[in-house]
Amino acid sequence: MTDDTEANESTTPTAAQTACFEAGIKFGSLYHQFAGTPISPSSAPSLARAMEESIENQPHCSAVTVDVRTDELERELADSTADYTELTGRFLEVEIVVDYEDREVVTRMAMEDGYPLMELVSVDDREPDA
Amino acid sequence: MTDDTEANESTTPTAAQTACFEAGIKFGSLYHQFAGTPISPSSAPSLARAMEESIENQPHCSAVTVDVRTDELERELADSTADYTELTGRFLEVEIVVDYEDREVVTRMAMEDGYPLMELVSVDDREPDA
Amino acid sequence: MTDDTEANESTTPTAAQTACFEAGIKFGSLYHQFAGTPISPSSAPSLARAMEESIENQPHCSAVTVDVRTDELERELADSTADYTELTGRFLEVEIVVDYEDREVVTRMAMEDGYPLMELVSVDDREPDA
Amino acid sequence: MTDDTEANESTTPTAAQTACFEAGIKFGSLYHQFAGTPISPSSAPSLARAMEESIENQPHCSAVTVDVRTDELERELADSTADYTELTGRFLEVEIVVDYEDREVVTRMAMEDGYPLMELVSVDDREPDA
């Protein structure tokens, strides 16, 4: 019992914890791959689709749903001399579902207090039926 | 000696030179925004579409055409244990047309000697009709 | 049966699971923000430093260590006519430590069977001292 | 005279036009590689350095100077509950110098009317001395 990270019997990650780690990877990937992309109301649907399909390629990723908040996008462009802007979190609502060794993790990004917040919604840590 | 592309005492950029600068911006943007995106043969079409439509938002950009070289993509995946990879230049053929003050610039990216090369294809430096 | 990592009726995420999710976000962010960056042996140290310091800004991120595998980088460039390449996973060894509500999660990216693998190394799920 | 791109004797790009195209590539690359990176006043210097050194790797790029507008960064963070934000154009002043076949092109990005504007500053199109 000399391991200084030890307190429980083990610090070995559980399947549910690994599922949560995998879900986080997908969220960080999606955000930092696509933040900064030029976006307008007319190009938003193709970008949303590409974000979904590209991140769904990643391991254990069962579903990605990207909604562009076109109301917010149009409001920003109405105040602007430009007809496009850069993709950032306040234009996005995203849900990502990861399935790792039968543990399903649902995660979401949405605005909270003016900031885009990525959060774990649920972690289904049931043992699969024998 | 009135041709504005001619060597002269001034270093003020000409319209055609500015058109070339604008075309370069689009190419650098497209490449570095999307390089690294997870891609598979099935997700390639939506990514190509998003690349086209997002970069076409940029000023003076009249057309972007992105073809994913799915043959090259499939060859790489055939040698791999994964079913997706990261987008990089050898999977892409891109043409971008910029129109700036009636100067049309055509640019292209394709493989040359094993490297993706971005190049100016033509610069139409005619004076617009009076 | 009070261990909050245990399978139970609830799907409410535990603190340790959230810590793992946060760690995944940092890894996906780091990778997809910086993949594709032009890199050479001489520019590698400044890029590694920027990767560390930028990701350490993210919430709950206590330490990021990025080592560029310059041996691998030099090997690739020796076979090339170019003197730089694009950053990708095979040039990187990364360790990220997250601390969320006193749960410490250690994660790592390194090559395994020819692929860069992001993995949870340990999850310290001890209850903090009362 | 039936070729609709023909008007001058040729649409073949000049060395100065190619230099401008190359300069644009560097600017688009720099912006879209690094936009979205987490940044704070303390991490700004390492990011600026990495931006300079990584883009200087690109062909024909003789100098890149990146200044982070820390006044603007601090003003944004003062209004925020967070202690970092995402890199975007309004926090940057950038100068890039390209040298292509002895033509030197100086380009700059700075705020104009509330937008980050990339512009050609000068194009030295002198024939080099024999």
Side-chain angles (χ1 to χ4, degrees):
Chain A
M1 297 300 271
T2 57
D3 182 341
D4 67 0
T5 66
E6 196 162 354
N8 286 353
E9 286 162 50
S10 169
T11 61
T12 304
T14 67
Q17 288 167 349
T18 303
C20 294
F21 178 63
E22 291 290 332
I25 291 173
K26 276 65 180 164
F27 244 117
S29 298
L30 180 145
Y31 195 85
H32 287 273
Q33 183 63 59
F34 295 103
T37 303
I39 188 169
S40 61
S42 68
S43 73
S46 64
L47 184 57
R49 191 74 188 281
M51 293 170 77
E52 292 172 347
E53 294 195 0
S54 64
I55 300 301
E56 285 174 352
N57 284 317
Q58 293 189 333
H60 318 297
C61 188
S62 48
V64 179
T65 310
V66 174
D67 287 311
V68 176
R69 299 178 61 203
T70 44
D71 55 336
E72 187 69 19
L73 191 55
E74 282 163 1
R75 185 158 40 239
E76 168 146 330
L77 293 175
D79 294 339
S80 161
T81 58
D83 51 8
Y84 75 102
T85 187
E86 293 174 18
L87 183 66
T88 189
R90 76 179 172 283
F91 302 128
L92 288 175
E93 284 176 3
V94 181
E95 189 185 84
I96 299 179
V97 181
V98 159
D99 197 310
Y100 178 84
E101 291 186 8
D102 289 309
R103 273 66 173 186
E104 188 183 79
V105 172
V106 178
T107 61
R108 192 168 52 195
M109 185 176 74
M111 295 305 287
E112 196 150 313
D113 296 331
Y115 288 91
L117 186 71
M118 299 178 189
E119 61 179 350
L120 272 181
V121 176
S122 66
V123 180
D124 182 357
D125 192 17
R126 293 174 299 196
E127 295 285 339
D129 291 340
Chain B
M1 298 302 270
T2 57
D3 182 339
D4 69 0
T5 68
E6 207 82 10
N8 59 40
E9 288 161 49
S10 170
T11 61
T12 305
T14 66
Q17 288 167 350
T18 303
C20 294
F21 178 62
E22 290 290 333
I25 291 173
K26 277 63 179 165
F27 245 116
S29 298
L30 180 145
Y31 196 85
H32 286 273
Q33 183 62 60
F34 294 102
T37 304
I39 188 170
S40 61
S42 68
S43 73
S46 64
L47 183 58
R49 191 74 189 281
M51 293 170 77
E52 292 172 346
E53 293 195 0
S54 64
I55 300 300
E56 284 175 352
N57 283 318
Q58 293 189 332
H60 318 298
C61 189
S62 49
V64 179
T65 311
V66 174
D67 287 311
V68 176
R69 299 177 63 203
T70 45
D71 55 335
E72 186 69 19
L73 191 55
E74 282 162 1
R75 186 159 38 239
E76 169 146 330
L77 294 174
D79 294 339
S80 162
T81 57
D83 52 7
Y84 76 101
T85 186
E86 293 174 19
L87 183 66
T88 188
R90 75 178 173 283
F91 302 128
L92 288 175
E93 285 176 2
V94 181
E95 189 184 84
I96 298 179
V97 181
V98 159
D99 196 311
Y100 178 82
E101 292 187 9
D102 289 310
R103 272 66 172 186
E104 188 183 80
V105 171
V106 179
T107 60
R108 193 168 51 198
M109 185 175 74
M111 295 304 286
E112 196 150 311
D113 296 331
Y115 288 91
L117 185 71
M118 299 179 189
E119 61 180 349
L120 273 181
V121 175
S122 65
V123 181
D124 181 359
D125 192 17
R126 61 183 165 187
E127 297 284 338
D129 291 339
Chain C
M1 298 301 270
T2 57
D3 182 340
D4 67 0
T5 66
E6 206 84 10
N8 59 39
E9 288 162 50
S10 168
T11 62
T12 304
T14 66
Q17 288 167 349
T18 302
C20 294
F21 178 63
E22 291 290 332
I25 291 174
K26 277 63 179 165
F27 245 117
S29 297
L30 179 145
Y31 196 84
H32 287 273
Q33 184 62 59
F34 294 102
T37 303
I39 188 169
S40 62
S42 68
S43 73
S46 64
L47 183 58
R49 191 74 189 280
M51 293 171 76
E52 292 172 347
E53 293 195 1
S54 64
I55 299 301
E56 284 175 353
N57 284 316
Q58 293 189 330
H60 317 298
C61 188
S62 48
V64 179
T65 311
V66 174
D67 287 311
V68 176
R69 299 177 61 203
T70 45
D71 55 336
E72 186 68 18
L73 191 56
E74 281 163 1
R75 186 158 38 238
E76 168 146 328
L77 294 175
D79 294 338
S80 162
T81 58
D83 51 8
Y84 74 103
T85 187
E86 294 174 18
L87 182 65
T88 189
R90 77 177 171 284
F91 302 127
L92 289 174
E93 284 176 3
V94 181
E95 188 184 85
I96 298 179
V97 181
V98 159
D99 197 310
Y100 178 84
E101 292 186 8
D102 289 310
R103 272 66 173 186
E104 188 183 78
V105 172
V106 179
T107 62
R108 191 168 54 194
M109 185 176 74
M111 295 304 287
E112 195 150 311
D113 296 332
Y115 289 91
L117 185 72
M118 298 177 190
E119 61 180 350
L120 273 180
V121 175
S122 66
V123 180
D124 181 359
D125 192 17
R126 61 185 163 184
E127 297 283 340
D129 291 341
Chain D
M1 298 299 272
T2 56
D3 182 341
D4 68 0
T5 66
E6 195 161 353
N8 287 353
E9 287 162 48
S10 170
T11 61
T12 304
T14 66
Q17 289 167 349
T18 303
C20 294
F21 178 63
E22 290 290 333
I25 291 173
K26 276 64 179 165
F27 245 116
S29 298
L30 179 145
Y31 195 85
H32 287 273
Q33 183 63 60
F34 294 102
T37 303
I39 188 170
S40 61
S42 68
S43 74
S46 64
L47 183 58
R49 191 75 189 281
M51 293 170 78
E52 293 172 345
E53 294 195 359
S54 64
I55 300 301
E56 284 175 352
N57 284 317
Q58 293 189 331
H60 318 297
C61 189
S62 48
V64 179
T65 311
V66 174
D67 287 311
V68 176
R69 299 177 62 202
T70 44
D71 55 336
E72 186 69 20
L73 191 56
E74 280 163 2
R75 185 157 40 238
E76 168 146 329
L77 294 174
D79 294 338
S80 162
T81 57
D83 52 8
Y84 74 102
T85 186
E86 294 175 18
L87 182 66
T88 189
R90 77 177 170 284
F91 302 128
L92 288 175
E93 285 176 3
V94 181
E95 188 184 83
I96 299 179
V97 182
V98 159
D99 197 311
Y100 177 84
E101 293 187 6
D102 288 311
R103 273 66 173 186
E104 188 183 78
V105 172
V106 178
T107 61
R108 191 169 52 197
M109 185 175 75
M111 294 305 286
E112 196 150 312
D113 296 331
Y115 289 92
L117 186 71
M118 299 178 190
E119 60 180 350
L120 273 180
V121 176
S122 66
V123 180
D124 182 357
D125 192 16
R126 291 175 300 195
E127 295 286 339
D129 291 339

